[in-house]
Amino acid sequence: LKYFINAVSDGSLETSGKNFKLMNDITVYRTYQWYPIGAPQTFKVNTEDIYTFYGAFDGNGHTIKGTLNLQPVHHSNGSRTSFGLFASIGITYNEYSVKDLTIDADVNITGGAVSNSETLAGAHSRVTIGVLASSCASHTIFRNCHITSDINFNYDWRIYEMRIGGFCASAGWSEFYDCSFSGSIDMDGRVAAGNIEVGGIVGVVTERIRFENCVNNADIKADGITCVQLDMGGICGDYGMDRRGGDHFWFINCRNTGNLCSDGITLQ
């Protein structure tokens, strides 16, 4: 797994059109610092330095477990900080992008970002957090993937926008089949943002999407935070239905069993 991470992240392994299969359960230990697959392991990167995963990843029924100390990727222009198992998952020409994978691991979000702006609405940076991927490009397909994670914030954040999803921070023109997220997302008063979008599967749906047989079992808590606007949902936090119309958004046999709580919000 370490070889795979390094090879994709330094560009020596071309993923487009290739199939990858996990052959065993893997335990990630607490001391291991997890940089997103596809992102150079440096403090700051340019967007063009990130190698999007264009292949097909078959979890083969196995589990990645333990503790994921997700390390931040700060974009050099200061516009975004990203967290995720993959930095970015792009268009696939297979029947899936990721399938038959289970992640059973607590997630620690570190490296708080503080804006110099006096108001949250005037700040510029965006934080995107997804256990599986920070972002998903067009035509990504997830099948039979299950994530159990307690997402913990270890530092205070003050930023323009934060997007959080159990699977992906944002997704568009993507499909999710038989996927579930369990555990919790607890901001615990450590987040101050202009806009916050948080969902059990996807934080923000940007365009056409399909969720089928998907379940969120996780509790999502935004207690004690400061924000201008909060969008929260069991499956997704926010979605752009007004952009293309309801016929481009499908929620089929999906359900939420988790508790959604936003107590003690300070609106700025």
Side-chain angles (χ1 to χ4, degrees):
L1 184 60
K2 287 183 179 180
Y3 168 81
F4 173 71
I5 295 170
N6 294 334
V8 175
S9 298
D10 66 18
S12 62
L13 177 60
E14 173 59 51
T15 60
S16 181
K18 290 186 171 63
N19 300 309
F20 302 88
K21 181 179 288 188
L22 190 62
M23 300 306 295
N24 295 284
D25 291 349
I26 292 179
T27 299
V28 180
Y29 293 102
R30 185 180 298 273
T31 55
Y32 184 71
Q33 294 182 327
W34 191 291
Y35 287 87
I37 298 168
Q41 297 186 20
T42 58
F43 180 70
K44 288 186 177 182
V45 300
N46 296 312
T47 301
E48 58 269 22
D49 293 332
I50 293 179
Y51 295 94
T52 297
F53 179 77
Y54 289 107
F57 191 91
D58 182 0
N60 197 25
H62 290 295
T63 300
I64 296 174
K65 54 189 175 181
T67 299
L68 296 179
N69 287 315
L70 296 183
Q71 301 302 301
V73 172
H74 300 282
H75 293 244
S76 295
N77 61 5
S79 64
R80 186 153 60 98
T81 298
S82 303
F83 296 85
L85 183 65
F86 287 86
S88 176
I89 298 178
I91 185 171
T92 181
Y93 298 98
N94 296 275
E95 63 177 14
Y96 63 91
S97 303
V98 183
K99 76 169 184 177
D100 297 340
L101 175 66
T102 297
I103 298 175
D104 186 0
D106 290 338
V107 171
N108 293 324
I109 303 300
T110 61
V114 179
S115 168
N116 293 324
S117 172
E118 293 182 359
T119 65
L120 294 174
H124 297 290
S125 60
R126 172 185 292 166
V127 174
T128 56
I129 301 168
V131 176
L132 192 55
S134 174
S135 64
C136 300
S138 299
H139 303 290
T140 51
I141 302 172
F142 302 88
R143 296 183 182 275
N144 192 35
C145 294
H146 305 281
I147 298 175
T148 299
S149 293
D150 290 323
I151 300 178
N152 304 301
F153 291 81
N154 292 341
Y155 295 95
D156 295 334
W157 292 85
R158 182 180 176 84
I159 33 75
Y160 165 70
E161 184 177 43
M162 178 171 278
R163 295 177 172 179
I164 310 170
F167 275 68
C168 308
S170 62
W173 290 81
S174 301
E175 301 173 25
F176 295 79
Y177 298 96
D178 305 299
C179 293
S180 69
F181 179 66
S182 303
S184 65
I185 301 174
D186 190 352
M187 285 171 259
D188 191 29
R190 292 186 173 275
V191 175
N195 295 329
I196 299 173
E197 293 109 351
V198 53
I201 306 294
V202 175
V204 177
V205 171
T206 56
E207 289 188 87
R208 185 181 182 121
I209 199 84
R210 184 184 186 97
F211 297 100
E212 188 167 338
N213 300 324
C214 292
V215 181
N216 172 61
N217 298 312
D219 293 337
I220 302 175
K221 297 180 181 179
D223 295 356
I225 65 171
T226 300
C227 65
V228 175
Q229 179 176 320
L230 171 65
D231 297 305
M232 178 189 293
I235 300 297
C236 65
D238 187 21
Y239 61 100
M241 180 172 283
D242 58 335
R243 300 181 188 179
R244 290 186 177 270
D247 60 331
H248 287 263
F249 294 83
W250 293 275
F251 298 84
I252 301 171
N253 193 33
C254 296
R255 66 186 187 276
N256 171 66
T257 67
N259 296 313
L260 309 182
C261 180
S262 56
D263 190 28
I265 297 271
T266 300
L267 297 177
Q268 188 179 83

